[in-house]
Amino acid sequence: TMEDITDRKQVEDALPFATAVLAEYRAPVAECARALGLTTDTATTPAAALLLAPGGQAREDLETFAPGTVDYFYPQADASVIAPGRLRADIDQRLLQFSRCVRFGDASTYVLTAETVIHGLNDGMTAQEMLTFLDAHARGGTPQPLRYLITDSAEHFGQVRIRAEGRGTRIS
């Protein structure tokens, strides 16, 4: 039922680690839903029920006005990736394996850092797979600083350094 879908407690119970991420997006989504007449301050409207109904004609009609997805992006030398529209779901999911979305919207921005690349490596991707993926979807190629970030992070991945520091030992 609609109440099941909009019950915050059920979402938080089902996805306990996602609540911080969901909280970041909840307010703008709620504001947009109110502006579109899909919700009030306390409940969903009949229009929302029509849109959420499986196989509903209202949903199909609305989707004809939604912008399409894109299958390309523009990697930048500052280790960001700009998607000039909503990325196709499979491309978005793959990119998020080794990046972080810092701006979601008509032109989304993703950022790669040593930490996000390491996350991708921990998930089983290789540096070559990351570079091949970027090259396959990049308009204008993958900038050298971004290539270096990925290869350098991969070279140091899994290394443990132990060195004397003062009166103790430093592990990094």
Side-chain angles (χ1 to χ4, degrees), residues 33-52:
R34 275 192 297 278
L36 291 170
L38 300 174
T39 61
T40 65
D41 287 337
T42 58
T44 55
T45 64
L50 286 173
L51 289 173
L52 292 171

Side-chain angles (χ1 to χ4, degrees), residues 51-74:
L51 289 173
L52 292 171
Q57 184 62 41
R59 182 185 182 112
E60 288 178 21
D61 291 344
L62 185 61
E63 285 178 353
T64 62
F65 296 104
T69 58
V70 296
D71 62 355
Y72 62 93
F73 42 69
Y74 297 96

Side-chain angles (χ1 to χ4, degrees), residues 6-9 11-12 15 18-34:
T6 59
D7 183 357
R8 179 186 296 178
K9 178 76 171 124
V11 171
E12 290 173 352
L15 304 166
T19 55
V21 174
L22 292 174
E24 180 180 337
Y25 296 102
R26 186 178 293 136
V29 169
E31 182 181 321
C32 185
R34 275 192 297 278

